[in-house]
Amino acid sequence: DADVTQTPRNRITKTGKRIMLECSQTKGHDRMYWYRQDPGLGLQLIYYSFDVKDINKGEISDGYSVSRQAQAKFSLSLESAIPNQTALYFCATSDSRTDYEQFFGPGTRLTVL
Amino acid sequence: KQEVTQIPAALSVPEGENLVLNCSFTDSAIYNLQWFRQDPGKGLTSLLLIQSSQREQTSGRLNASLDKSSGRSTLYIAASQPGDSATYLCAVVEAGTALIFGKGTTLSVSS
């Protein structure tokens, strides 16, 4: 089984809809991250969490919110989706007790019409 | 603000060639540097992690070096194969933050 899983893997939605992307990990890592990837722009950080009670905004957090429900779960919400949020979304984890190497989930391809 | 640059943006080589991918970063105060591979439409696979105190790391045909003082890292791929075709991403971690990525080098190895 994959260590970092994301659901759904693909999602098509309409402008104005609320969307939640979920991430779960079995690696026992304390830190979790949400990134967005757009062609030509690379990966950009949306939000990150160093533990359940510590959540921080990344460089492109506007229009997004997150929830760290447990150490193993970190969800990303788009409260009112817009077309320019169409992108590939990745969740990642790392362990502050070791070397901070980040491990990525398979990604969610989101299309907002 | 930390910026990560990868050169070249794209590279095409025949099978069997040795090649070097370059990564530079503007602020040398990094915690570590990580190289990833990404196949089209897929997730990121971690290739090598170099701590700031290290000079290089090796895994199979891959060797990554780090010169923190000059803000540079290289990924050396020996005896390239068509299966190495992918986008290679370099990213740095500063203390207390997440990864900052370059835009990647897209490698194509022809048989």
Side-chain angles (χ1 to χ4, degrees), chain B residues 5-27:
Chain B
T5 303
Q6 291 187 247
I7 295 173
L11 181 63
S12 293
V13 300
E15 182 177 7
E17 268 201 17
N18 302 323
L19 58 100
V20 174
L21 307 182
N22 296 294
C23 172
S24 62
F25 46 96
T26 54
D27 188 340

Side-chain angles (χ1 to χ4, degrees), chain A residues 99-110:
Chain A
D99 56 12
Y100 298 94
E101 183 175 4
Q102 288 201 17
F103 297 89
F104 280 71
T108 293
R109 183 170 297 281
L110 176 65

Side-chain angles (χ1 to χ4, degrees), chain A residues 35 37 99-102, chain B residues 31-32 34 38 46 51 99:
Chain A
Y35 294 91
Q37 186 176 37
D99 56 12
Y100 298 94
E101 183 175 4
Q102 288 201 17
Chain B
Y31 190 83
N32 64 37
Q34 201 167 350
Q38 185 177 27
S46 180
Q51 301 286 0
L99 287 168

Side-chain angles (χ1 to χ4, degrees), chain A residues 13-24:
Chain A
T13 190
K14 294 182 179 180
T15 297
K17 294 291 188 180
R18 184 178 188 274
I19 296 296
M20 180 180 286
L21 308 183
E22 297 185 336
C23 176
S24 295

Side-chain angles (χ1 to χ4, degrees), chain A residues 36-110:
Chain A
R36 165 181 170 160
Q37 186 176 37
D38 297 272
L41 292 179
L43 280 101
Q44 297 173 281
L45 181 66
I46 307 173
Y47 270 96
Y48 59 106
S49 171
F50 286 170
D51 65 37
V52 175
K53 297 179 181 180
D54 183 3
I55 294 178
N56 305 279
K57 292 183 177 180
E59 55 189 315
I60 56 163
S61 60
D62 288 348
Y64 301 95
S65 62
V66 291
S67 175
R68 186 87 183 262
Q69 302 95 322
Q71 187 182 42
K73 296 184 181 295
F74 193 36
S75 60
L76 175 72
S77 294
L78 287 68
E79 297 301 326
S80 179
I82 56 177
N84 76 0
Q85 291 178 313
T86 294
L88 194 53
Y89 290 84
F90 289 105
C91 174
T93 73
S94 69
D95 188 347
S96 65
R97 297 165 297 178
T98 58
D99 56 12
Y100 298 94
E101 183 175 4
Q102 288 201 17
F103 297 89
F104 280 71
T108 293
R109 183 170 297 281
L110 176 65

